[in-house]
Amino acid sequence: MTLLHSSLNVPCVRHESSFFDDGNFKFGVLFSGQVVIYQLHKSMMLSQGGLFATFLQGLLPFTDSQDFGVSLPMDQDVPSIPLGQADITLTDFDALLLSIYGSINLNEAWQRSNNNTSHLVSLLKVSTFFDMAQFRTFAVDRLHELSPSLLSSLYKFYLGRTYHILEWLAPTFADILGDRTLHFARLTQVELQWLGSAATYLAFYETQLELLQKMTAACPPAYAASSGCTTISACSSAWTKEWTSTIAFNINHPTSTDWRVGHPLLFQIACLEKVKGMCSDCLEETKYKTSSDGTLTRRPQLLKSRIIWMVEHGLNGNKSAIELWDNAKLAVTEPHALFI
């Protein structure tokens, strides 16, 4: 709490809705160069406890003669909460007051805000600043339930990183890596700021995926001969030709995303009913081996899991940058080493 001296000639305005005629607790909050005056109910405000009550208990009441809409009189110091230092806006503070007055039913208070996502974000910000566990928990739970159309993975990751919701970091970054519409080169400056240091991991992930894409296209899964095949050489050559001329072309196509996930590619292979020059028994054996041994999915999955591990441990400060990068490289160069 600080005292804002009246000699600064700061405008003083009454809040439009949070100035109750029967209120018995009047105080000011400094927002964007002006003091906004609230008149609330003291028992309800102080019952919240924590840092919020500590702030309010230290505020001096305004005199009844205080004029609104004009500069403060020269003989009065006005107590105010310095929320601007915490990037808390008037809208954020109003979200907290709406929740306090609706604390018997927080869901009803949220509905009164038209189920607004920004209301929950504001409540998260201000409840974290004031260490108000009930409202923070409510905001975290409701935000977590929102669909991606209401709360994007990028912004959710930013909220988790900024407000220390550690349980969000790994799964949300996994969603980011799995989103086929997201590409590092197309991120805006704001989105890069949301990711913070994790943007580097996303760029590394996409670079390695491109390498894996080329490796997958160039190296067909091993041909598996059926026990009764008498034309093994011809079947093997036919399988390689089918892969390089058809499947590899699809993998390398600029619009293809099948290689990122692996499962659509496996489905494409499973749908092969005939390969020219390859006997049906060898085709079925090769299709079974390809789908069961993880040839097409193992390295992308290992890379993804390792990048997620890096983000989770790196942002928590549990691992050094060098150790994180070394582990990431293992996912591409020596995937078996990740299990040692």
Side-chain angles (χ1 to χ4, degrees):
M1 184 187 71
T2 62
L3 289 178
L4 180 65
H5 198 275
S6 58
S7 62
L8 295 177
N9 203 34
V10 176
C12 180
V13 297
R14 179 189 301 194
H15 193 279
E16 293 181 355
S17 59
S18 295
F19 194 95
F20 300 101
D21 292 338
D22 62 346
N24 59 356
F25 190 48
K26 187 188 297 183
F27 62 93
V29 183
L30 177 62
F31 292 112
S32 302
Q34 70 176 10
V35 174
V36 178
I37 309 303
Y38 295 84
Q39 184 163 292
L40 307 173
H41 303 89
K42 188 171 185 177
S43 60
M44 181 171 288
M45 294 299 103
L46 298 184
S47 67
Q48 302 307 313
L51 185 59
F52 185 71
T54 301
F55 267 116
L56 297 184
Q57 285 174 331
L59 296 178
L60 300 175
F62 275 26
T63 62
D64 292 337
S65 60
Q66 173 65 53
D67 292 326
F68 298 102
V70 298
S71 298
L72 301 176
M74 294 298 294
D75 60 348
Q76 184 177 0
D77 290 334
V78 179
S80 63
I81 304 175
L83 296 183
Q85 300 175 11
D87 192 31
I88 292 177
T89 65
L90 176 62
T91 301
D92 298 334
F93 195 66
D94 286 351
L96 176 63
L97 294 182
L98 176 63
S99 298
I100 289 176
Y101 275 91
S103 58
I104 296 178
N105 190 333
L106 284 175
N107 278 306
E108 181 179 332
W110 180 34
Q111 291 167 2
R112 285 164 56 193
S113 74
N114 297 319
N115 294 349
N116 199 322
T117 301
S118 61
H119 169 81
L120 293 175
V121 175
S122 291
L123 184 59
L124 173 63
K125 288 171 61 177
V126 73
S127 63
T128 299
F129 177 77
F130 283 120
D131 193 22
M132 303 173 79
Q134 176 190 7
F135 299 120
R136 174 181 161 89
T137 299
F138 174 81
V140 169
D141 290 346
R142 295 291 84 74
L143 285 167
H144 185 60
E145 294 170 357
L146 295 179
S147 66
S149 62
L150 296 175
L151 184 66
S152 71
S153 298
L154 286 171
Y155 190 51
K156 186 175 182 180
F157 183 80
Y158 162 75
L159 293 177
R161 189 169 61 87
T162 303
Y163 299 106
H164 309 289
I165 312 172
L166 302 183
E167 65 272 19
W168 282 6
L169 297 181
T172 303
F173 201 74
D175 292 339
I176 292 172
L177 296 184
D179 189 339
R180 302 180 190 183
T181 65
L182 281 179
H183 297 280
F184 177 80
R186 300 175 190 170
L187 295 179
T188 66
Q189 190 63 37
V190 172
E191 290 171 334
L192 289 172
Q193 291 173 355
W194 287 349
L195 284 174
S197 61
T200 305
Y201 301 143
L202 177 60
F204 177 80
Y205 174 73
E206 291 191 354
T207 299
Q208 297 306 314
L209 275 180
E210 184 178 357
L211 174 61
L212 288 175
Q213 177 188 16
K214 295 177 180 178
M215 290 171 56
T216 302
C219 304
Y223 155 76
S226 67
S227 57
C229 180
T230 58
T231 57
I232 292 178
S233 178
C235 287
S236 176
S237 297
W239 169 248
T240 300
K241 182 178 180 180
E242 176 71 17
W243 183 272
T244 56
S245 63
T246 305
I247 300 176
F249 175 81
N250 293 334
I251 294 174
N252 281 325
H253 194 277
T255 62
S256 173
T257 54
D258 289 353
W259 59 274
R260 284 176 174 263
V261 182
H263 299 296
L265 184 57
L266 290 176
F267 178 76
Q268 179 182 348
I269 294 173
C271 290
L272 285 174
E273 296 181 355
K274 184 177 180 181
V275 171
K276 186 177 180 179
M278 186 177 188
C279 70
S280 59
D281 289 342
C282 282
L283 175 59
E284 292 304 316
E285 189 70 25
T286 301
K287 285 165 56 176
Y288 173 78
K289 182 177 184 298
T290 300
S291 62
S292 61
D293 68 1
T295 300
L296 299 178
T297 58
R298 184 170 56 250
R299 284 194 171 187
Q301 289 173 348
L302 285 172
L303 174 62
K304 181 177 179 180
S305 64
R306 189 51 43 177
I307 294 293
I308 294 170
W309 181 89
M310 288 169 59
V311 169
E312 183 178 25
H313 288 75
L315 293 181
N316 291 345
N318 296 334
K319 298 288 181 179
S320 69
I322 295 177
E323 185 176 357
L324 290 171
W325 280 116
D326 285 346
N327 275 280
K329 293 174 183 176
L330 284 176
V332 179
T333 58
E334 301 177 56
H336 65 281
L338 299 178
F339 299 98
I340 296 178

